Amino acid sequence: MASSKEKYVRRSISVRLIRHGESKNNQVYRDALRLFKGGSPDFDLQGWTDYVDKYRVADPGLSDVGQEQALRLSHYLEPHLVNQAGEVRFVISPMKRTIETMLPTLTEMNRSNENSHIKTVINGFYFESEGCHTREKVEPGMNSEQIAECLSPAGVQDTSYVGFQSGPENGWYAHGTGPETRHESEQRAARFYVWMMEFLDEQLMEAERGEVEDIFDAGVTLPGEENDKCHDRFQPRARRRRTAIFCGHGDFMSLVLKRIVSGFGHAIEKEGESHRSAFVHFNTGITELEYFGKGRFLLMSSNQVPHLHGPNGECYITGGSLKDGWSYLMPSDKILLDSEVAFSFSDEVQPHVAEQAEALRSLYLSKSGSSSSQDELDATHHKSNALTVVVKRGLQVVGCASLDEKTGRLSDVVVRPSARRSYVGQSLIDAVKNRAIETKKFDKIVVEPDTSESKAFFEKMGFELTEGGNDETYTSEIVRMECKL
């Protein structure tokens, strides 16, 4: 894939994002869904709400199943890290369930390694969405002294505390004024994402200065490494790699992962609402990444749980199905049906909009019957007086066209098939009419439909055949239509 002349050294850090084991609250929600028929026509919302209010706690520990998952996770991670990792840095949410999830692994690692090879950071930004509250009453969460007491059975020493907005001597949510809103969760995810990159970049800079040996280009095979099996997580390695493990929460990890994958391109479509995509993790699910510095990530695998299957058919997988409530992260249709129309010159169209518009043209514009060649159409798109018209729902483009304000010619009108009954086409035409009235640059809109379907659409929008138009066939001949304003 790379040029043979390329000599760029691609140092990277091995990164693991791990969701906590099943918490007592996870068990409460799962039991509530079963007891009150969640997801069915007979769903008892009041019963569900009363049950959750009665048994949910602000900062729960692990359930019995969660404790087993954490133990099995340690049986998987400890031999992997001992055989293949150099220095290991653990970044853990300040919530009880994440700390309890990492305790067995930290205990085993401290038995197997010198403490100098293990560093632990409790990050106060890394808690789950909504914060710490009981029936909307704020709970402060644990402070550094209480967290240190939780970690002491594992032999953890010299823990660092960052991101405690009221100071580590106070609880990690002592600053809270109520349950965290969706907008606040997104803002915090952005802060954690920036902190995460800086945390990893500082380590890579140590390698560039020659201060450490466990950060190197793992894509290069040195003598003696020819028989290494990259997929084998337990095979001893001659060179052990710097590894960072982030133990967090399902929803908040998804918010961070979306920023990682989008590479600084992540944007919120509507304040206070969830994004239209999300990442799902089982309890103790592992997502593996490689970090190359300056915001560059490779997603190697996602939501892996090899440790939750036993040799005799046992299975301890929980927390990653639709019945666990993940579908509630999807915004409702009502929110996504809000449309807006935007006009931009071709060189001003945002890249993600231009990419979607071009995909719509390529997929759904008629290839037959056009009197204009593709070169001519491309030229039209780039004329200085040509505008790109797009209909968007959030960041999704559902319709587009090209408008020449000098002639009033509207071309390449295309709407996603699934949106054609949602007045998207009418919104586009209405917006063009309003622009003509406001700018007074043209007094009529001219279109040339090349199919009977598009002709019928424009007739419905108030367009009429111009003099000399052909009314017999529209599959192979261009028909000129006008709409006077």
Side-chain angles (χ1 to χ4, degrees):
M1 294 176 65
S3 168
S4 60
K5 297 181 180 179
E6 189 174 0
K7 297 181 180 179
Y8 181 75
V9 177
R10 289 178 165 81
R11 297 184 182 91
S12 65
I13 296 173
S14 179
V15 178
R16 305 286 190 279
L17 302 185
I18 302 177
R19 186 188 176 196
H20 60 80
E22 183 188 71
S23 74
K24 292 176 181 177
N25 279 358
N26 291 148
Q27 187 172 356
V28 166
Y29 284 114
R30 188 177 68 249
D31 290 346
L33 283 171
R34 175 178 53 81
L35 291 169
F36 301 100
K37 302 179 180 179
S40 76
D42 300 322
F43 177 46
D44 179 359
L45 177 59
Q46 189 59 51
W48 184 91
T49 301
D50 292 344
Y51 184 88
V52 169
D53 283 347
K54 181 178 180 179
Y55 292 105
R56 179 191 179 277
V57 296
D59 189 9
L62 295 180
S63 68
D64 291 342
V65 172
Q67 295 283 358
E68 179 66 25
Q69 292 168 337
L71 185 62
R72 287 174 173 270
L73 177 66
S74 72
H75 294 164
Y76 173 80
L77 282 180
E78 188 269 343
H80 163 61
L81 296 174
V82 167
N83 288 326
Q84 299 186 2
E87 182 176 298
V88 183
R89 299 197 180 186
F90 291 88
V91 178
I92 306 173
S93 152
M95 301 190 85
K96 288 180 182 178
R97 54 190 181 269
T98 48
I99 293 170
E100 290 183 6
T101 297
M102 283 291 101
L103 275 179
T105 299
L106 289 168
T107 300
E108 293 302 316
M109 290 295 294
N110 280 317
R111 287 175 182 168
S112 305
N113 290 273
E114 297 178 8
N115 287 332
S116 59
H117 293 301
I118 301 170
K119 295 184 179 180
T120 306
V121 179
I122 304 296
N123 190 300
F125 289 143
Y126 204 28
F127 58 87
E128 180 61 303
S129 305
E130 296 190 7
C132 192
H133 64 93
T134 302
R135 300 182 187 88
E136 300 193 358
K137 179 183 177 182
V138 169
E139 303 281 351
M142 293 189 293
N143 61 25
S144 58
E145 184 177 344
Q146 293 167 319
I147 292 173
E149 185 177 347
C150 291
L151 290 170
S152 61
V156 177
Q157 301 175 6
D158 300 324
T159 301
S160 300
Y161 297 87
V162 300
F164 284 64
Q165 297 182 54
S166 296
E169 68 277 7
N170 297 304
W172 53 268
Y173 202 62
H175 66 282
T177 57
E180 187 181 54
T181 67
R182 195 65 186 175
H183 178 61
E184 290 169 337
S185 295
E186 294 281 6
Q187 288 183 318
R188 181 165 55 86
R191 290 198 298 273
F192 182 80
Y193 171 52
V194 172
W195 178 89
M196 179 185 190
M197 289 186 293
E198 186 65 17
F199 175 74
L200 297 170
D201 280 335
E202 288 176 353
Q203 297 175 62
L204 285 167
M205 289 172 65
E206 293 176 3
E208 291 177 6
R209 295 192 296 265
E211 298 173 1
V212 297
E213 296 181 353
D214 63 342
I215 300 177
F216 49 84
D217 188 338
V220 175
T221 300
L222 297 185
E225 297 178 341
E226 295 85 356
N227 295 322
D228 283 357
K229 296 180 176 62
C230 295
H231 63 276
D232 188 334
R233 292 292 183 261
F234 306 114
Q235 181 186 41
R237 297 283 193 266
R239 293 187 297 165
R240 298 178 182 181
R241 303 186 57 210
R242 179 68 59 90
T243 302
I245 293 177
F246 295 78
C247 185
H249 307 267
D251 183 41
F252 193 71
M253 279 170 51
S254 176
L255 299 184
V256 175
L257 266 170
K258 282 183 281 189
R259 287 164 171 83
I260 288 173
V261 171
S262 65
F264 305 118
H266 180 77
I268 305 304
E269 296 184 271
K270 190 168 184 177
E271 185 175 313
E273 300 293 343
S274 55
H275 198 265
R276 67 177 73 220
S277 63
F279 289 87
V280 174
H281 282 83
F282 296 116
N283 293 117
T284 67
I286 303 170
T287 286
E288 180 181 354
L289 302 147
E290 289 289 336
Y291 184 70
F292 295 86
K294 301 178 177 64
R296 295 170 296 178
F297 286 90
L298 273 180
L299 178 61
M300 307 299 289
S301 64
S302 178
N303 195 25
Q304 300 297 302
V305 285
H307 53 288
L308 296 184
H309 293 280
N312 299 315
E314 310 97 316
C315 181
Y316 294 89
I317 296 175
T318 63
S321 74
L322 293 178
K323 294 187 185 303
D324 293 296
W326 285 97
S327 60
Y328 290 98
L329 291 182
M330 295 293 97
S332 67
D333 286 346
K334 181 178 179 181
I335 293 167
L336 294 182
L337 288 177
D338 291 340
S339 300
E340 63 173 325
V341 183
F343 294 83
S344 304
F345 288 106
S346 297
D347 57 355
E348 297 174 344
V349 179
Q350 294 178 308
H352 76 276
V353 172
E355 181 180 74
Q356 292 183 71
E358 185 54 40
L360 286 179
R361 294 187 188 105
S362 176
L363 286 169
Y364 302 118
L365 271 183
S366 172
K367 300 296 191 300
S368 63
S370 176
S371 63
S372 301
S373 68
Q374 185 61 47
D375 290 341
E376 289 172 333
L377 291 176
D378 291 341
T380 299
H381 294 157
H382 294 89
K383 285 181 181 178
S384 60
N385 58 350
L387 291 173
T388 296
V389 188
V390 296
V391 185
K392 296 191 298 179
R393 290 175 176 167
L395 297 177
Q396 183 185 43
V397 176
V398 292
C400 62
S402 294
L403 173 64
D404 187 331
E405 289 193 297
K406 185 176 180 180
T407 63
R409 183 175 185 271
L410 188 65
S411 60
D412 297 349
V413 180
V414 58
V415 174
R416 285 188 61 175
S418 60
R420 288 175 185 172
R421 295 185 179 182
S422 304
Y423 303 103
V424 170
Q426 182 173 333
S427 297
L428 191 154
I429 298 300
D430 288 346
V432 174
K433 290 179 180 179
N434 290 335
R435 183 174 181 86
I437 294 170
E438 291 171 3
T439 64
K440 296 181 173 59
K441 290 185 177 180
F442 52 101
D443 59 3
K444 61 183 178 182
I445 305 170
V446 180
V447 295
E448 296 179 350
D450 62 350
T451 67
S452 55
E453 182 183 14
S454 58
K455 175 181 176 291
F457 165 75
F458 285 115
E459 286 180 341
K460 186 177 179 180
M461 294 295 105
F463 287 75
E464 298 178 350
L465 283 172
T466 58
E467 188 175 343
N470 188 323
D471 196 29
E472 294 181 359
T473 178
Y474 305 98
T475 57
S476 62
E477 296 185 22
I478 299 298
V479 178
R480 187 178 179 88
M481 303 179 77
E482 293 181 354
C483 181
K484 295 182 179 180
L485 305 173

